[in-house]
Amino acid sequence: MTFLDLFLATLSYIGVAIVLLFVGIILFEITTKNKEMQLIKSGNKAAVYAFGGRILGLAIVLYSSIANSVNVFDMVVWGSVAIIMQIVIFYLAELLTPKFNITKAIDDDNQAVGLFLLFLSVSIGLIIAASLTY
């Protein structure tokens, strides 16, 4: 492969991964009861933590799909699977926290819950990322 081939491949992976990241962010935004972007605009730090954790979790799984793919199509397939798994597992994990209402806690700017969701999203992302190896 020439330098130009490698450079174009790198740009392809970056471009496709950014598109997948935005798709994942949009999917999280439309599937959550909280509207984090509105809460963030109003200065809600708990929403920033929760939303930032989701972005980090998605980036981690996309990193793994890039690192372990054989081509861009393979990365798209596994990146898409990873995004869906990230969202599903995140919501399953939310069901395991019945002691508090996550939606209300984020709306009320409960920063402890926001940080909990950040760590939960990153942890889920790491587990999924480790599972995306051949």
Side-chain angles (χ1 to χ4, degrees):
M1 285 190 115
T2 67
F3 173 78
L4 182 60
D5 293 334
L6 293 172
F7 182 71
L8 292 175
T10 300
L11 289 179
S12 297
Y13 278 101
I14 292 169
V16 172
I18 288 172
V19 168
L20 285 173
L21 180 64
F22 280 111
V23 167
I25 291 168
I26 291 167
L27 288 174
F28 256 123
E29 180 69 11
I30 62 175
T31 60
T32 56
K33 294 177 187 172
N34 300 97
K35 296 304 164 208
E36 282 91 356
M37 294 309 288
Q38 292 173 356
L39 293 170
I40 291 167
K41 286 179 187 176
S42 67
N44 185 312
K45 290 181 183 175
V48 171
Y49 300 147
F51 197 66
R54 290 181 187 136
I55 293 169
L56 281 171
L58 291 170
I60 290 167
V61 299
L62 289 171
Y63 162 81
S64 184
S65 70
I66 292 168
N68 293 293
S69 66
V70 294
N71 56 41
V72 174
F73 179 75
D74 188 48
M75 187 269 291
V76 169
V77 170
W78 287 109
S80 299
V81 168
I83 289 169
I84 292 166
M85 290 170 42
Q86 177 84 4
I87 292 169
V88 169
I89 294 171
F90 180 82
Y91 286 112
L92 289 175
E94 269 193 273
L95 293 175
L96 300 174
T97 57
K99 300 255 183 206
F100 51 88
N101 182 321
I102 290 177
T103 301
K104 183 175 178 344
I106 296 299
D107 285 341
D108 293 342
D109 198 14
N110 184 327
Q111 293 180 35
V113 172
L115 284 171
F116 169 76
L117 293 176
L118 185 155
F119 295 131
L120 180 63
S121 293
V122 171
S123 299
I124 292 168
L126 288 168
I127 291 167
I128 293 169
S131 302
L132 291 177
T133 59
Y134 287 107

